[in-house]
Amino acid sequence: MEVENSKKSSVSDVGAWGMNIVSSVGLIMTNKQLMSPSGFGFGFATTLTGFHFTVTALVGLVSNAAGYSASKHVPFWELLWFSIVANMSITGMNFSLMLNSVGFYQISKLSMIPVVCVMEWILHSKHYSKEVKMAVVVVVVGVGVCTVTDVKVNAKGFICACVAVLSTSLQQISIGSLQKKYSIGSFELLSKTAPIQAISLVLAGPFIDYSLNDKFLFNYNLSYGALFFILLSCSLAVFCNVSQYLCIGRFSAVSFQVLGHMKTVCVLMLGWLLFDSELTLKNILGMSVAVVGMVVYSWAVEVEKKKVIDSKAISHVKNIVSEENVQLLKQSSGIESQVKDVELGKLRG
């Protein structure tokens, strides 16, 4: 029975990761076509994210109304705080990409892995084995080699990058901790936070986007092709958001960051296949190192899990042995007291 449950859990884990990678890569490719000047030139990233969460909120509302998902109570102030952090993450990333070079933007994204590790150590007293630390370093080096090009930074861009990294790391840690704290499923948590994020981003998004590209949303000439890609982007975003919450709920924020870089490798490959992006020897070398790091990380996590299971089993056996010893001591002490009572009875007689 335990073996069957383990197999089902493994299949669910692979499914969650698969859905996240496919939906994320599909979303990036769709947004590239939608937002690039050679495509439809829809340069309103923050507003588009607001549309994503609007559709996600509607899906959650329909699911709750149809009884497919149960709604559990989570204090509104926690949902509001989480939504503010998540919106800071989105806005910070957009500003960081605008103000910094692509190279520094990639470095800031890579820095999320060690930042998440440090945050989990501070907030949850979590420790990592040498194997996990080694794998994280290998992944960071590999992705850095294949993505980082020019590195230029300025004061405003550096501040925005710091805000983006800290808020994104805190958001991903909070997803897992809120699910555990209130025993709530990933989709239920997403359906509660999505409406708050949708309202705030749709209202503030056009003004944030105007500050980014000096273009106002209502001046955009919407075509049928652009509308199709907006709807496709929103549909993929629902799967991407749900799978992100699923993955972090099942694993951890660190695992999500490390194995999530597989998406970077996939995007580079698809960019080369679909958009004639340049794929150099440096890119191939970096991707190979990153993939090796991800394999090593998966192995290290499994080793760590096995150690935890073995230690629990040993402690369980020790508890059973100690309980048996206590019972034997009680029985022996009971026999000794009975012998003494008999001897005392003989003496009295």
Side-chain angles (χ1 to χ4, degrees):
M1 193 69 174
E2 289 181 1
V3 175
E4 288 181 5
N5 291 333
S6 178
K7 286 181 179 178
K8 287 179 181 178
S9 178
S10 299
V11 170
S12 299
D13 293 346
V14 172
W17 276 118
M19 183 167 69
N20 183 256
I21 291 172
V22 171
S23 60
S24 297
V25 173
L27 181 62
I28 291 169
M29 294 293 108
T30 301
N31 288 349
K32 185 176 179 65
Q33 180 64 26
L34 176 64
M35 302 177 74
S36 65
S38 58
F40 295 97
F42 188 83
F44 309 98
T46 311
T47 307
L48 181 62
T49 308
F51 294 160
H52 291 170
F53 280 105
T54 301
V55 175
T56 304
L58 289 173
V59 170
L61 187 65
V62 171
S63 177
N64 287 332
Y68 291 114
S69 58
S71 181
K72 292 186 179 180
H73 175 71
V74 179
F76 179 75
W77 69 269
E78 291 219 47
L79 297 175
L80 181 63
W81 172 82
F82 175 83
S83 300
I84 291 170
V85 172
N87 287 350
M88 284 176 64
S89 165
I90 295 164
T91 308
M93 281 296 181
N94 289 339
F95 273 98
S96 176
L97 185 58
M98 180 193 73
L99 296 172
N100 298 314
S101 65
V102 176
F104 186 78
Y105 176 75
Q106 290 295 342
I107 287 176
S108 67
K109 287 183 72 177
L110 287 174
S111 68
M112 286 181 198
I113 298 176
V115 168
V116 168
C117 291
V118 172
M119 277 191 171
E120 286 198 324
W121 172 63
I122 293 171
L123 297 174
H124 301 135
S125 302
K126 190 170 183 178
H127 297 277
Y128 301 93
S129 65
K130 291 180 181 179
E131 293 84 0
V132 170
K133 292 175 183 176
M134 178 185 70
V136 167
V137 171
V138 173
V139 172
V140 169
V141 170
V143 177
V145 167
C146 68
T147 58
V148 175
T149 51
D150 60 315
V151 179
K152 295 177 183 178
V153 63
N154 55 74
K156 288 182 180 178
F158 180 76
I159 292 170
C160 288
C162 289
V163 170
V165 169
L166 291 171
S167 57
T168 303
S169 303
L170 186 58
Q171 178 213 6
Q172 292 181 355
I173 292 171
S174 299
I175 290 173
S177 60
L178 283 174
Q179 287 186 48
K180 290 176 184 176
K181 185 177 179 180
Y182 295 103
S183 301
I184 188 172
S186 54
F187 184 73
E188 285 77 15
L189 179 61
L190 178 61
S191 64
K192 287 180 178 296
T193 57
I196 303 171
Q197 288 186 255
I199 293 169
S200 56
L201 288 173
V202 168
L203 292 176
F207 302 101
I208 295 171
D209 291 328
Y210 181 78
S211 66
L212 287 170
N213 55 25
D214 293 326
K215 293 179 181 178
F216 200 60
L217 175 66
F218 296 104
N219 294 330
Y220 177 75
N221 186 18
L222 185 66
S223 64
Y224 286 110
L227 180 61
F228 169 78
F229 273 90
I230 289 172
L231 293 174
L232 179 61
S233 179
C234 290
S235 302
L236 288 169
V238 173
F239 290 100
C240 186
N241 288 331
V242 171
S243 60
Q244 178 184 353
Y245 279 60
L246 273 172
C247 288
I248 296 175
R250 286 175 172 271
F251 306 101
S252 68
V254 177
S255 297
F256 182 76
Q257 280 293 331
V258 172
L259 297 180
H261 281 298
M262 179 62 76
K263 292 178 282 188
T264 305
V265 175
C266 293
V267 168
L268 286 171
M269 290 297 295
L270 286 173
W272 173 62
L273 291 170
L274 301 177
F275 297 100
D276 296 325
S277 299
E278 187 181 3
L279 192 65
T280 63
L281 180 63
K282 175 173 167 281
N283 296 138
I284 296 170
L285 178 63
M287 285 190 287
S288 302
V289 173
V291 170
V292 170
M294 290 168 199
V295 172
V296 173
Y297 179 82
S298 302
W299 166 79
V301 169
E302 287 301 317
V303 169
E304 206 170 55
K305 282 181 181 177
K306 191 176 179 182
K307 285 180 180 177
V308 171
I309 292 169
D310 289 344
S311 63
K312 285 182 178 178
I314 291 168
S315 62
H316 181 63
V317 170
K318 284 181 178 178
N319 288 333
I320 291 171
V321 171
S322 61
E323 285 177 4
E324 287 178 352
N325 288 338
V326 169
Q327 291 295 328
L328 287 171
L329 285 171
K330 285 181 178 179
Q331 288 174 6
S332 62
S333 62
I335 292 167
E336 286 177 2
S337 63
Q338 287 175 4
V339 170
K340 285 181 180 178
D341 289 342
V342 170
E343 288 177 351
L344 284 171
K346 286 181 178 179
L347 288 171
R348 286 172 186 170

